[in-house]
């Protein structure tokens, strides 16, 4: 339980780490209707594609340095030689990132769905889908960024993007 509190305090203190991706998501979702013709009647239809791509991009940005700080200051090595279960540490870190980034983005995505489609029913039904999707995205990108810890997040994205292609095809 102390690890969860520690990770929560550490991520909350870095506003760039959790607030930045949320603001990028808002920017993408606000810019989307502004770039499409007003006379286009398929705005609601293309909205979901933009929503998934925006969520994919934001989760990629959010997990860019999920393990990098721990690697640089030696915390990962200390956790590896201590009695703490590494899978618990990784799961706690991913859960905290999802809680502070994935959940707000899912709620915002549902609110944008309500604004674009004018359907409360659809906005309520899309929220659990967005929650699950954001959790899957954050897990896959965390895996990729852990594999390419000192090589940069682009390599991690390239490694894990083929894992997400079937999910994107099903959602699209």
């Amino acid at each position: 339980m102390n690890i969860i509190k520690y990770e929560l305090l550490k991520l909350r203190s870095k506003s760039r780490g959790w607030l930045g991706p949320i603001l990028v998501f808002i920017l993408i979702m606000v810019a989307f209707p502004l770039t499409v013709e007003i006379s286009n009647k398929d705005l609601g239809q293309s909205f979901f594609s933009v929503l998934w791509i925006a969520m994919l991009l934001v989760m990629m940005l959010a997990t860019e340095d999920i393990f990098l700080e721990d690697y640089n200051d030696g915390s990962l090595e200390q956790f590896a030689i201590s009695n703490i279960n590494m899978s618990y540490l990784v799961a706690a870190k991913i859960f905290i990132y999802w809680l502070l980034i994935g959940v707000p983005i899912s709620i915002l995505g549902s609110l944008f769905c309500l604004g674009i489609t004018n359907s409360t029913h659809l906005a309520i039904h899309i929220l659990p889908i967005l929650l699950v999707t954001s959790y899957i995205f954050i897990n896959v990108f965390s895996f990729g960024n852990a594999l390419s810890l000192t090589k940069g997040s682009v390599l991690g994205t390239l490694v894990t993007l083929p894992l997400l292609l079937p999910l994107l095809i099903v959602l699209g």
Side-chain angles (χ1 to χ4, degrees):
M1 197 62 163
N2 289 334
I3 293 175
I4 293 176
K5 289 179 187 175
Y6 172 71
E7 291 298 328
L8 183 63
L9 289 174
K10 192 165 75 171
L11 183 60
R12 279 186 49 203
S13 68
K14 298 186 309 183
S15 60
R16 180 189 165 270
W18 64 273
L19 190 59
I22 294 172
L23 292 176
V24 168
F25 182 78
I26 291 171
L27 179 68
I28 292 171
M29 298 311 295
V30 167
F32 163 65
L34 299 175
T35 59
V36 179
E37 284 186 28
I38 294 177
S39 63
N40 189 358
K41 294 178 181 158
D42 293 333
L43 186 64
Q45 189 72 11
S46 60
F47 165 74
F48 295 106
S49 298
V50 172
L51 180 66
W52 301 130
I53 291 169
M55 184 170 281
L56 180 78
L57 176 68
V58 167
M59 288 301 145
M60 181 182 67
L61 289 172
T63 60
E64 185 175 5
D65 57 350
I66 187 168
F67 300 112
L68 189 61
E69 184 180 347
D70 293 334
Y71 176 77
N72 287 336
D73 69 5
S75 300
L76 284 179
E77 293 171 356
Q78 292 299 316
F79 286 130
I81 60 175
S82 68
N83 291 335
I84 297 173
N85 189 358
M86 283 297 282
S87 60
Y88 175 71
L89 173 72
V90 170
K93 192 175 249 325
I94 290 172
F95 178 73
I96 294 300
Y97 269 72
W98 176 73
L99 194 63
L100 287 180
I101 300 167
V103 173
I105 287 174
S106 300
I107 293 169
L108 286 170
S110 181
L111 290 174
F112 277 110
C113 178
L114 177 65
I116 298 282
T117 63
N118 293 328
S119 171
T120 309
H121 179 72
L122 190 59
I124 290 172
H125 280 72
I126 198 102
L127 181 62
I129 295 170
L130 290 174
L131 287 169
V132 170
T133 304
S134 67
Y135 192 71
I136 291 171
F137 284 167
I138 207 162
N139 274 294
V140 172
F141 283 126
S142 295
F143 172 69
N145 286 323
L147 288 177
S148 63
L149 199 53
T150 60
K151 310 293 188 260
S153 64
V154 174
L155 181 63
T157 302
L158 291 175
V159 167
T160 55
L161 204 53
L163 298 172
L164 288 174
L165 285 178
L167 181 66
L168 291 175
I169 290 170
V170 169
L171 290 175

